[in-house]
Amino acid sequence: MLDHGYGPYYAEPGVSSVADPTLLLWHVRDEFGIGEPDVEFYPYWKNEEYVQLTPAHLKTSFHLKHGERVQLVVSNFLREEIDANIQLNLPSMGLDGKQLAAYDALLSQPLEMNGSVVRATILPERYRLINVEVVEP
């Protein structure tokens, strides 16, 4: 908290809109726990045992807190909107057999998740920041 009595991410006390998109990204990363010793990073060129994307031209890097949650950045480099299927290897992530929820971390919008597959629309030349987390029954 700042000396002004409110957090650094918001424009003024009690306002839920974020002052700057970069601050929102920092806030989402902080909430996830990026930088904590038990959160590991998996770059797009070295994570094929954990995530398979359809269509295959999509790229993802992610942070994983084993057994609890994963935060993926899924990027679409084409100039067309893509409906993506993000297949997660839940056993490798320690998430197998757990009740999970997927949502857009920046927009706080729920995403469809069937079994180990998350579905998300990704706009042309954009990305989605997606959280998949264990939810309490």
Side-chain angles (χ1 to χ4, degrees):
M1 295 294 268
L2 297 176
D3 292 336
H4 307 293
Y6 58 94
Y9 302 111
Y10 301 102
E12 58 185 72
V15 175
S16 62
S17 61
V18 174
D20 181 302
T22 304
L23 294 179
L24 174 60
L25 186 58
W26 290 348
H27 180 68
V28 168
R29 291 171 53 90
D30 286 350
E31 280 188 332
F32 185 84
I34 292 172
E36 294 176 5
D38 58 346
V39 175
E40 296 181 66
F41 177 68
Y42 294 84
Y44 71 89
W45 63 88
K46 202 173 177 182
N47 65 28
E48 58 279 340
E49 85 175 75
Y50 294 94
V51 181
Q52 297 296 314
L53 300 170
T54 307
H57 73 271
L58 297 170
K59 300 291 182 208
T60 187
S61 295
F62 64 89
H63 285 86
L64 173 65
K65 183 165 186 175
H66 194 81
E68 292 184 28
R69 59 186 178 259
V70 60
Q71 186 173 82
L72 306 109
V73 178
V74 182
S75 300
N76 174 17
F77 296 100
L78 296 184
R79 292 183 175 174
E80 61 188 56
E81 185 175 290
I82 298 294
D83 289 323
N85 287 316
I86 304 148
Q87 173 77 48
L88 305 175
N89 184 336
L90 298 178
S92 293
M93 295 178 167
L95 297 171
D96 195 33
K98 298 182 179 185
Q99 186 173 343
L100 302 171
Y103 62 95
D104 184 300
L106 294 173
L107 303 174
S108 298
Q109 294 176 339
L111 296 172
E112 179 185 342
M113 185 167 189
N114 291 317
S116 61
V117 178
V118 178
R119 291 188 43 82
T121 299
I122 306 175
L123 296 175
E125 299 178 327
R126 302 287 175 99
Y127 70 92
R128 297 286 295 262
L129 186 62
I130 300 170
N131 281 2
V132 177
E133 299 179 346
V134 174
V135 293
E136 298 300 321

